[in-house]
Amino acid sequence: MEWAKRTRGLIFRPDLGRSIDSLTAARGLRFQSRQQEAASELVLAVLLEREGLEAADLGRVEAVERTETDLALAIAAGRADVGLGIEASARQFQLEFTPMIVERFDLLVWRKAYFDPPFQKLIGFCASKPFERRAKELGGYDVGAFGAVHFNGP
């Protein structure tokens, strides 16, 4: 069942004096990466292929960041100019953001567990107005289809 959608895109400093609307536009800038195992690195590979670029076309800084927040902080602190991250982290540090992809997060639930009180409590919380408001405040999250069943296996 669907939990949320999240927007991932290019995070960049507002003082660059220009908009960064593609990876091609990020060439020549210091690009902040995440560790190789991060899902964002898989997304980056897809986006590079989509634009006909290779990883070597990005001016990657030597350090890699472990979290979305650390990536945005590195850009805000001036250690990098641009990186691929989530909108919520860009907002947290008042950085510019260009959306590139929407990721859907689903919860895999055993049918029997769906009806157990702890899971029902989680569903109640996630379907609540405070949860929806918080997602909106963070930015880049869409919980409007929470609970939609996308696969109901045997």
Side-chain angles (χ1 to χ4, degrees):
M1 65 181 268
E2 184 168 325
W3 183 57
K5 290 183 181 87
R6 178 174 77 178
T7 306
R8 179 175 297 284
L10 296 172
I11 298 174
F12 55 98
R13 293 194 337 266
D15 65 350
L16 292 178
R18 61 183 172 132
S19 182
I20 309 299
D21 60 357
S22 67
L23 291 170
T24 301
R27 291 174 83 171
L29 298 173
R30 296 172 301 152
F31 191 90
Q32 181 62 62
S33 298
R34 296 273 315 278
Q35 75 275 16
Q36 192 62 35
E37 303 82 19
S40 61
E41 289 299 301
L42 296 173
V43 172
L44 180 60
V46 169
L47 295 174
L48 284 166
E49 184 177 330
R50 186 184 295 172
E51 292 190 36
L53 299 173
E54 297 191 15
D57 293 326
L58 299 176
R60 292 184 188 229
V61 298
E62 192 172 318
V64 296
E65 298 299 342
R66 303 288 299 168
T67 69
E68 298 287 350
T69 302
D70 290 343
L71 179 136
L73 180 59
I75 295 167
R79 295 191 304 270
D81 301 313
V82 63
L84 184 66
I86 61 172
E87 185 176 349
S89 292
R91 280 190 184 193
Q92 181 180 8
F93 294 97
Q94 294 83 45
L95 297 168
E96 297 293 324
F97 181 80
T98 299
M100 301 289 284
I101 193 165
V102 174
E103 305 166 317
R104 189 181 84 205
F105 291 89
D106 293 340
L107 298 174
L108 300 176
V109 184
W110 181 34
R111 241 183 232 135
K112 181 185 176 307
Y114 182 90
F115 298 99
D116 288 344
F119 193 73
Q120 286 297 305
K121 190 171 184 174
L122 175 67
I123 288 174
F125 171 70
C126 292
S128 71
K129 289 296 179 190
F131 183 80
E132 185 179 341
R133 274 194 308 273
R134 183 65 178 142
K136 192 172 191 168
E137 288 170 5
L138 287 171
Y141 287 96
D142 176 3
V143 295
F146 170 76
V149 175
H150 293 285
F151 178 75
N152 189 7

